[in-house]
Amino acid sequence: MDTGCHLPAKGMQRGNQMNDLMRILKDPKLTYRQRLFSLSKAAENIGEPVKLSEKAQRFADCGIIYDMGEGNTPYCPRYVVPDYDKFLKQGSKFLMLAPPSDIWEAVSNLQIIYHHVPSVIGLPVYIGHLDRLLEPYIADEKEARRAIRMLLTHVDRTVSDSFCHCDIGPYDTRAGRIILELTEEMQRPVPNMSLIYNEKTPDEFALRAISAGLTASKPSFVNDGMYSAEWGESYAVVSCYNVLPIGGGGLTLGRLNLKKLADASISREQLMNELLPDAVLAQCEQMDKRESFIIDECRFFENSFLAAEELIYPERFVGMFGLVGLAECVNKTLGATAQEKRYGHCEQANAFGEEIIDRIDKLVSRYKPKHGKFYLHGQVGISSDEGVTPNTRIPVGEEPDLPTHLMVTARMQKKFPCGIGDIFPFEATAKRNPKAVLDIIKGAFSMNMRYLSFYSSDSDVIRISGYLVKRSDILKYKEGKAVLSNSASLGSEAAGNLHAFERKVRSSDDA
Amino acid sequence: MLKGYVNRIIPFSFVDGPGNRSAVFLQGCDFSCKYCHNPETINMCSGCGRCVELCPRGALTLSKEGIKWNSGLCAFCDRCLKVCSYNSSPRVRTMTMEQVFEEIREALPFIEGITVSGGECTKQNGFVTELFREAHAFGKTAFADTNGETDFRSIPELTKEMDKAMLDIKSSDAREHIMLTGSSNETVIENARYLASIGKLYEIRTVVVPGFLDNFRTVDFASRLIAPYPEVRYKLIRFRKWGVRGPLEEFPVPDDSVMEPLKELALKNGVKIVEVI
């Protein structure tokens, strides 16, 4: 195999380390906390990366497989998904908290434990199934509203990262309604939010969620039928739209860049029979070794009160096998240049896309890592991606008519138990007719689409790839001002590279 | 097999009734409203051929059967529509019910129903009845967007197959109605009463054109008419000049100071759902 790229010289990397640290220290766009976090990340990266086999290393060097910048020496799982329901029931010895007796104590206990939930962003990517958690503590709705507003404000101002995610639904509850009302009213990007949706979700509640979604770009809708068949009822949607078992989480996220893989291949046969199996194996090896480092060397679970108090169980952690750039891989390999021959538009191209995903799925499920299992995740892209489309999406600017777009999306999302999602901006007329959006969601879910995000073309809070930012924050950041949200800097870059502002807006007469 | 004259099909529409709908616009209308947004839907093509030579893509050809339109070549620049002095379009297709449903096949899982609009759909009532029947066979709802000029009692099969109608009450005054549309409003008002009484009126609409129509009088009348039927909504539509030809071309869009008092009037008269757009 010749992947056509070379290792960077190691001396050069080292020499740049001090410069990197100084750049972080002096960056006027970063707040104190953002600098602190960046410094810790830089420290993690002073060590040598987890050692890979020569073959796997070559894929890593070319960026075909990528450890998602989790750090050379990972010491905690990427995403931790504590069982907050259990935490509220039992309190915490380690945190010296009794089970709450009212909504204020419940909110306070949650705010405390959030500080102790590790993740790749240093802050929790999951803050619980909020309506289910808080409903039992609602005595007076007015009071509950104040308490929930306080919780949401706290999370927005302290976690300040749109990868922080909460879930609601599928049932209509007072807590759920309050959360939706506040979401619409507060217009903040944090926390990200998903509505677990199934046939038991009343239309009225779903329509409230859609109205909130059309003004605040959240919640997104989750096809509960598909995920509960894979995980049972006890799963959570975290970060962008990662789906993981509650009381567990995701140890690492590896990312296979199918565009780069296609660029390195000389034919469809070579791609499918040699490069793809080798690259999948390389990514599995990297994930496996990094996970072993977290568990066996850093002994994460042995010094975690979350594990000691059974809010997480090591066996409920899985590895997320991520991928991006299916569209580019298909188009490049088939030499499809004319629009009607390209991915999303042509049956041959779509079928090839499906074949690639099926092959990856088979290879990944055959791999037996030392810890847990690996499941596919449709990675949403990173801010520096250029010319590579997130997961299995159709590239921005090439969107087919909406019914076709929805059908292709649903077809490609089948094999992703660890989460995948697509985004549809609707014209503002949808606000007057939220039922239209519900019809589309119901149709898409009946075709086994897993996850659908939407926003209105006139919203200030918009979805960049999977996370949310305020357009106004991006503008401020571009003007060189520090902003509270970590995601504004990512969003600023990604909005350009991912063309988030240029997505085809779905209008009322869109065919 | 009946055939219909179809001006346009929109697989997904958020503005033609409840939920997401496929909207089928038929050709031919028995009103000539001065504020018509799509006057090219009013008449059937006369085959004069004026548009043929102006088509920049050669998508139109003149034949013995009339003008042929090649949709594959068409750039949808609308030059043919602009040049037509006969309020028609060379892009009208003659379609069977099956062909219409074939065209919206991919949209079906995502829609609540279909809405047949126009033009005036009741002019092709046999075809529309077939469309409605097929929509129901797919478990979809069937709505008609109508000007109310045909008495729905005289087309019982269509009325039976139709879930609900959306009806314009353009003016409560017969003379003003004639000035605006070329026809009287008697049947329109009778239809509003009849359809409301059998639970088949979804909404009524009035386009508000200050300085040209007595909007207050019409809204007062129409809102009293539907007030006994709380499920019937009233949509008050600001005049907009898009597509409009003739004397109203340069009329301004009424602002909230015009629309809000009309909305309040309708609410005061007992209408439960009033929407200003």
Side-chain angles (χ1 to χ4, degrees):
Chain A
M1 179 199 75
D2 180 15
T3 47
C5 72
H6 305 281
L7 271 175
K10 280 187 182 161
M12 258 170 63
Q13 274 182 328
R14 281 279 160 88
N16 289 334
Q17 272 161 8
M18 198 57 208
N19 287 344
D20 286 347
L21 295 182
M22 292 311 280
R23 229 191 344 261
I24 294 166
L25 287 174
K26 294 174 180 175
D27 189 340
K29 285 187 180 183
L30 297 180
T31 64
Y32 160 71
R33 277 219 167 271
Q34 289 159 351
R35 288 180 196 188
L36 191 64
F37 177 72
S38 301
L39 284 174
S40 78
K41 206 60 305 145
E44 232 185 299
N45 285 333
I46 288 173
E48 288 293 328
V50 174
K51 187 104 185 97
L52 300 180
S53 68
E54 204 183 312
K55 201 169 179 184
Q57 187 61 48
R58 261 186 285 169
F59 282 103
D61 293 339
C62 300
I64 290 174
I65 66 166
Y66 179 48
D67 65 10
M68 291 300 294
E70 284 172 0
N72 287 351
T73 45
Y75 58 95
C76 77
R78 181 180 180 90
Y79 299 144
V80 175
V81 184
D83 186 341
Y84 293 113
D85 300 76
K86 197 172 185 184
F87 163 70
L88 285 189
K89 275 191 200 98
Q90 69 186 21
S92 166
K93 267 190 197 146
F94 182 81
L95 297 173
M96 295 173 283
L97 293 170
S101 58
D102 64 20
I103 195 154
W104 298 105
E105 286 178 11
V107 163
S108 170
N109 281 12
L110 286 172
Q111 288 174 354
I112 290 167
I113 198 173
Y114 293 159
H115 276 272
H116 302 277
V117 177
S119 91
V120 70
I121 56 167
L123 302 157
V125 293
Y126 175 62
I127 56 166
H129 201 114
L130 286 186
D131 56 352
R132 188 172 74 204
L133 286 171
L134 297 173
E135 184 69 15
Y137 301 97
I138 295 184
D140 171 73
E141 277 193 41
K142 240 176 155 181
E143 189 186 26
R145 205 183 151 85
R146 279 177 58 218
I148 293 172
R149 179 193 291 275
M150 198 178 87
L151 177 69
L152 294 175
T153 306
H154 178 93
V155 168
D156 180 52
R157 308 300 195 276
T158 60
V159 180
S160 309
D161 192 300
S162 309
F163 296 103
C164 166
H165 205 121
C166 73
D167 297 339
I168 58 168
Y171 306 106
D172 184 358
T173 57
R174 288 169 300 172
R177 285 175 183 232
I178 291 171
I179 290 165
L180 289 175
E181 281 161 26
L182 290 170
T183 297
E184 214 166 320
E185 189 186 313
M186 292 166 77
Q187 292 280 320
R188 295 296 307 166
V190 183
N192 202 341
M193 191 183 292
S194 291
L195 172 76
I196 311 291
Y197 179 86
N198 62 31
E199 71 284 354
K200 286 180 188 152
T201 311
D203 274 4
E204 200 204 328
F205 188 62
L207 290 172
R208 279 170 191 262
I210 289 167
S211 294
L214 289 170
T215 42
S217 300
K218 60 184 178 179
S220 301
F221 275 59
V222 184
N223 190 349
D224 182 49
M226 289 199 79
Y227 284 117
S228 56
E230 287 153 345
W231 300 107
E233 271 185 28
S234 196
Y235 69 88
V237 184
V238 315
S239 188
C240 285
Y241 47 65
N242 304 68
V243 175
L244 293 164
I246 289 177
L251 286 164
T252 60
L253 169 60
R255 184 177 99 150
L256 176 61
N257 187 326
L258 290 167
K259 175 194 185 282
K260 288 193 177 176
L261 192 69
D263 288 343
S265 83
I266 49 167
S267 69
R268 178 172 177 162
E269 290 66 35
Q270 191 221 14
L271 174 79
M272 296 304 280
N273 301 330
E274 294 171 35
L275 277 188
L276 187 66
D278 284 351
V280 169
L281 197 64
Q283 180 158 310
C284 287
E285 179 191 324
Q286 188 178 45
M287 290 168 64
D288 197 1
K289 288 183 170 165
R290 290 172 58 77
E291 295 187 357
S292 292
F293 190 85
I294 298 169
I295 296 174
D296 303 331
E297 303 210 24
C298 301
R299 305 166 94 83
F300 170 79
F301 290 107
E302 292 165 41
N303 68 6
S304 162
F305 81 94
L306 295 171
E309 298 188 5
E310 297 189 332
L311 299 175
I312 55 173
Y313 295 89
E315 63 272 21
R316 290 195 197 162
F317 279 78
V318 300
M320 298 174 281
F321 188 102
L323 57 87
V324 289
L326 181 68
E328 288 76 16
C329 179
V330 167
N331 291 337
K332 171 84 199 304
T333 307
L334 298 182
T337 45
Q339 190 66 72
E340 67 273 13
K341 297 274 179 203
R342 286 166 76 80
Y343 178 73
H345 295 261
C346 163
E347 174 49 32
Q348 234 180 340
N350 296 344
F352 182 44
E354 210 175 6
E355 185 189 333
I356 294 171
I357 299 298
D358 285 349
R359 183 74 60 87
I360 295 172
D361 177 55
K362 275 207 188 89
L363 291 163
V364 171
S365 52
R366 220 183 286 154
Y367 187 90
K368 299 283 172 254
K370 188 171 177 206
H371 300 283
K373 268 185 160 182
F374 295 163
Y375 296 94
L376 294 199
H377 167 69
Q379 209 272 325
V380 79
I382 51 175
S383 60
S384 55
D385 280 343
E386 249 178 282
V388 51
T389 303
N391 60 57
T392 61
R393 288 180 193 167
I394 297 166
V396 170
E398 293 188 27
E399 298 99 327
D401 61 82
L402 189 49
T404 307
H405 194 172
L406 291 163
M407 277 192 287
V408 174
T409 306
R411 177 175 175 186
M412 298 299 161
Q413 291 192 347
K414 274 184 284 188
K415 302 275 169 78
F416 290 85
C418 266
I420 187 166
D422 207 341
I423 311 170
F424 297 89
F426 289 111
E427 206 188 57
T429 51
K431 285 182 183 172
R432 288 201 298 269
N433 188 359
K435 171 73 171 42
V437 177
L438 184 58
D439 288 336
I440 289 173
I441 292 170
K442 282 182 178 177
F445 283 7
S446 76
M447 307 179 101
N448 286 340
M449 190 187 287
R450 286 180 182 268
Y451 192 82
L452 190 147
S453 301
F454 56 90
Y455 59 90
S456 166
S457 53
D458 63 351
S459 297
D460 183 30
V461 179
I462 72 149
R463 200 165 285 275
I464 290 292
S465 53
Y467 56 91
L468 298 163
V469 290
K470 279 177 93 76
R471 276 181 222 260
S472 44
D473 272 354
I474 289 186
L475 292 179
K476 266 192 238 167
Y477 183 83
K478 279 189 175 162
E479 285 165 15
K481 293 176 189 160
V483 292
L484 180 64
S485 166
N486 294 337
S487 312
S489 60
L490 293 178
S492 172
E493 206 178 335
N497 293 343
L498 293 171
H499 308 285
F501 293 147
E502 290 118 60
R503 277 189 202 112
K504 185 166 174 185
V505 172
R506 301 314 187 147
S507 65
S508 61
D509 58 359
D510 181 28
Chain B
M1 179 58 60
L2 276 169
K3 291 200 171 184
Y5 300 99
V6 178
N7 179 282
R8 195 178 173 204
I9 296 174
I10 296 177
F12 279 18
S13 168
F14 296 176
V15 295
D16 289 291
N20 189 29
R21 314 189 71 79
S22 290
V24 182
F25 293 85
L26 301 186
Q27 184 72 11
C29 183
D30 36 15
F31 281 1
S32 291
C33 301
K34 292 203 158 59
Y35 54 47
C36 183
H37 284 294
N38 37 20
E40 74 279 4
T41 63
I42 294 176
N43 294 315
M44 302 308 295
C45 175
S46 68
C48 73
R50 237 184 114 192
C51 53
V52 173
E53 58 215 54
L54 279 159
C55 177
R57 293 281 188 97
L60 301 172
T61 44
L62 197 53
S63 74
K64 271 184 205 154
E65 296 92 52
I67 293 169
K68 287 222 165 98
W69 172 56
N70 183 336
S71 62
L73 293 175
C74 181
F76 297 90
C77 68
D78 288 353
R79 251 179 246 187
C80 52
L81 306 184
K82 280 174 203 139
V83 76
C84 179
S85 55
Y86 195 59
N87 284 341
S88 188
S89 163
R91 305 202 303 238
V92 174
R93 291 178 294 164
T94 313
M95 297 174 86
T96 62
M97 173 274 286
E98 277 90 355
Q99 286 169 323
V100 171
F101 274 84
E102 178 53 28
E103 199 156 312
I104 61 169
R105 189 170 48 89
E106 295 198 334
L108 284 173
F110 308 102
I111 58 169
E112 180 192 307
I114 65 163
T115 295
V116 183
S117 184
E120 173 48 37
C121 63
T122 54
K123 289 190 69 175
Q124 302 182 44
N125 69 77
F127 178 64
V128 174
T129 306
E130 283 193 356
L131 290 177
F132 284 178
R133 209 169 275 145
E134 188 70 358
H136 286 140
F138 278 106
K140 305 293 169 188
T141 59
F143 276 51
D145 183 335
T146 174
N147 65 17
E149 173 70 342
T150 307
D151 183 356
F152 275 80
R153 284 191 174 95
S154 73
I155 42 172
E157 282 188 27
L158 185 150
T159 309
K160 185 168 153 264
E161 287 298 334
M162 173 183 78
D163 289 300
K164 293 207 175 199
M166 294 174 286
L167 175 74
D168 283 9
I169 295 188
K170 297 170 196 285
S171 172
S172 59
D173 178 75
R175 264 181 302 179
E176 189 178 67
H177 200 272
I178 292 166
M179 179 275 291
L180 176 66
T181 69
S183 303
S184 180
N185 60 1
E186 269 170 63
T187 318
V188 177
I189 289 162
E190 193 39 50
N191 270 326
R193 288 208 176 92
Y194 171 61
L195 291 170
S197 74
I198 60 169
K200 294 211 171 192
L201 189 58
Y202 176 73
E203 77 179 7
I204 58 166
R205 290 92 61 100
T206 297
V207 177
V208 175
V209 198
F212 185 69
L213 299 172
D214 188 344
N215 309 296
F216 188 90
R217 182 175 56 188
T218 297
V219 173
D220 190 39
F221 171 85
S223 53
R224 284 173 201 274
L225 190 152
I226 59 164
Y229 310 96
E231 75 283 3
V232 180
R233 50 187 67 217
Y234 198 169
K235 195 183 266 180
L236 298 169
I237 303 170
R238 293 171 213 267
F239 166 79
R240 289 178 179 85
K241 63 180 182 187
W242 314 122
V244 174
R245 298 172 189 172
L248 289 180
E249 259 175 59
E250 292 312 317
F251 263 62
V253 181
D255 60 18
D256 289 346
S257 70
V258 176
M259 302 304 287
E260 284 306 311
L262 294 172
K263 180 180 176 180
E264 276 165 34
L265 173 66
L267 290 169
K268 191 182 79 144
N269 284 345
V271 180
K272 293 284 175 285
I273 312 158
V274 183
E275 195 186 359
V276 172
I277 62 164

